[in-house]
Structures are given as structure tokens and as C-alpha cells.
Amino acid sequence: MNGIMSFVLLGGSQQSNLRLTVNVKKGMMTHQIFERFVNAIYYLAAEEGLKTPDSCAVCGQLGCDSFAFYNGTYTPVHSRCINEYNQEKVHKARLNDIGGNYALGILGALVGGIIGAIPSVISIVAIDTIAAILCALIPLCSYYGYKLFGGKMNGAAFASALIVSLLMIPALDYMIFVYYSLTELNYFIKPTEFFELFKDREIASELIKSMLQNLLFIALGFSVVFTNIRRGNAHIYN
């Protein structure tokens, strides 16, 4: 086991609920040690008047008999509920493996990437700045666009989202140029005309700076988004 582990502890009121996060290095914790570790955390929490949630994170009923990683947190569950949840995910993955389509997935990733880029363009045009959190929407929308259009959910999903995110780096500046050319000059600048601008050293320097900034923000967003997606799988510890 390795990565970030998050535990929810309940206090006497909603305001006193706590989320404990622990960073575990690879190879440090076996399933047996993990079980002792969880028990120790909740024992110490009980000493401070905190307790674990009473209801199953999957079905909401009482009588939990296991812990599982569900929705980003290690939480009490019913073995039956989490097993059914995992079996459903496996079933969907098998159906996707049979009927998934790479071409449709790539198209969806492209559409999603363009949609994800629109808030960044609006931010730049409206307040003359770009927010890193908005750039995170580009890989996120690209990934879910690939998924929504029925692409095969394997390494191609991540690769498509990555490639589209990289394509959006110059596309962001192009969309901004299109906006200003239409609103101020009533003229639609073609992609070929946009790339002609790189022949001007001063303009090229500004465009490269802008693209490097976009690259930094998109890379940050890509890292955050896909770290959370990888942690979205449920694992049961009886």
C-alpha cells in the first residue's frame, strides 16, 4: 500500500467533524499493518470524543463489518455492499472493453478539451488573467469527454486527455486572438494566419511566454485531476 489515506472522524456536531490525512510511502504498510493502523487511529480518536461514521458509505445503513477506500476516504462499509460496488465496476469495465471505441473516445476528448478551455478564455478576456484552477478543467473535461463518448477506458483515455491538453496550449491563445479579431476588427483570423505571427520576433516572444504559462497550469491541473481519478477506485480491507 502507498499514497494518501484519508479518514473521517465524527465529533459531537457537524462543525467538529475531522478528516485525517496520512501519506504512506510505497512498501511501508501491508494489509495486516493497515488494519492495526486503522484500529489505532479510531481508538485514539475515541479517547478524544471522536468516532467513526456509523452508516455504510455505500448504502447508508448501519451494521458495517469492513473498511474500504470509497469516494476518496477510508470509511466503514458492508462487505456485501463494497463487493457489489466493485463487481459493478468490473462489469462496466468489461462491457467497455468489448464495445469501447477509440475513435469516438478521441473525438470526445477533443470536444471536452475545447469545452474545458472556454472558462480560461473567458477569464483572460474578462479580467486579463488566467487561473490555474480553470486550466485544470481542460484535462478533466477531456478525460470525461473521452469517457462520455464511449472510448475504451484503458491507457488510451489518459493518453488522449494528455495529447488534447497539450493541443489546447496554443489553442487557448488562438481562441483569444479570434475573439479580439472578431470584436475589434470584425475579422476571423485563420489558424494559418495565427501561426504566421510567429515570424515576428516580438510577437513570438509574447506568445511563447503565454504558452509556457498555459503549459505550467495545464500540467498542474493534469497532475491533480488524474491523481484524484486514480484514487477513485475502491479497495476493501476485511
Side-chain angles (χ1 to χ4, degrees):
M1 294 179 56
N2 64 291
I4 303 295
M5 299 193 304
S6 183
F7 305 86
V8 172
L9 303 172
L10 304 181
S13 64
Q14 186 68 27
Q15 288 72 24
S16 61
N17 293 352
L18 297 177
R19 181 181 293 270
L20 175 64
T21 301
V22 181
N23 189 2
V24 180
K25 294 183 179 179
K26 187 175 182 179
M28 283 183 59
M29 191 172 292
T30 64
H31 292 298
Q32 291 78 14
I33 296 176
F34 171 78
E35 184 176 355
R36 296 174 190 169
F37 179 70
V38 171
N39 289 336
I41 285 178
Y42 288 128
Y43 174 80
L44 293 173
E47 292 289 307
E48 298 297 325
L50 300 169
K51 61 179 181 178
T52 64
D54 294 325
S55 58
C56 172
V58 182
C59 72
Q61 301 300 313
L62 301 177
C64 299
D65 57 4
S66 296
F67 282 93
F69 186 71
Y70 182 82
N71 283 348
T73 301
Y74 285 100
T75 182
V77 295
H78 298 123
S79 297
R80 172 181 50 81
C81 292
I82 199 65
N83 284 332
E84 289 176 356
Y85 172 81
N86 285 332
Q87 287 170 6
E88 182 181 355
K89 291 186 70 175
V90 170
H91 178 65
K92 288 181 178 179
R94 287 174 178 168
L95 290 178
N96 177 265
D97 190 52
I98 295 171
N101 186 290
Y102 288 119
L104 287 176
I106 293 170
L107 175 62
L110 185 58
V111 172
I114 294 172
I115 293 173
I118 292 174
S120 294
V121 174
I122 294 174
S123 173
I124 294 171
V125 170
I127 58 177
D128 197 29
T129 187
I130 185 169
I133 192 169
L134 293 180
C135 283
L137 292 175
I138 295 175
L140 180 65
C141 291
S142 180
Y143 175 83
Y144 282 105
Y146 182 97
K147 185 176 182 179
L148 185 63
F149 275 57
K152 284 197 174 186
M153 297 306 295
N154 51 26
F158 291 88
S160 298
L162 175 60
I163 292 171
V164 169
S165 297
L166 293 176
L167 289 175
M168 286 299 109
I169 294 171
L172 278 173
D173 285 297
Y174 173 65
M175 285 188 279
I176 293 167
F177 266 81
V178 168
Y179 171 81
Y180 283 118
S181 65
L182 285 173
T183 55
E184 297 185 10
L185 303 175
N186 197 26
Y187 175 76
F188 179 80
I189 183 171
K190 300 175 183 177
T192 52
E193 293 173 321
F194 171 73
F195 286 106
E196 284 287 323
L197 296 173
F198 282 88
K199 293 181 179 180
D200 185 302
R201 181 174 296 181
E202 186 175 342
I203 296 177
S205 176
E206 291 301 317
L207 284 172
I208 290 172
K209 288 179 183 177
S210 175
M211 290 180 186
L212 287 175
Q213 177 180 264
N214 295 343
L215 174 62
L216 176 63
F217 287 162
I218 289 175
L220 178 62
F222 192 91
S223 173
V224 172
V225 166
F226 287 104
T227 295
N228 289 329
I229 288 174
R230 282 196 301 270
R231 288 167 53 194
N233 299 321
H235 304 282
I236 187 167
Y237 301 97
N238 295 312

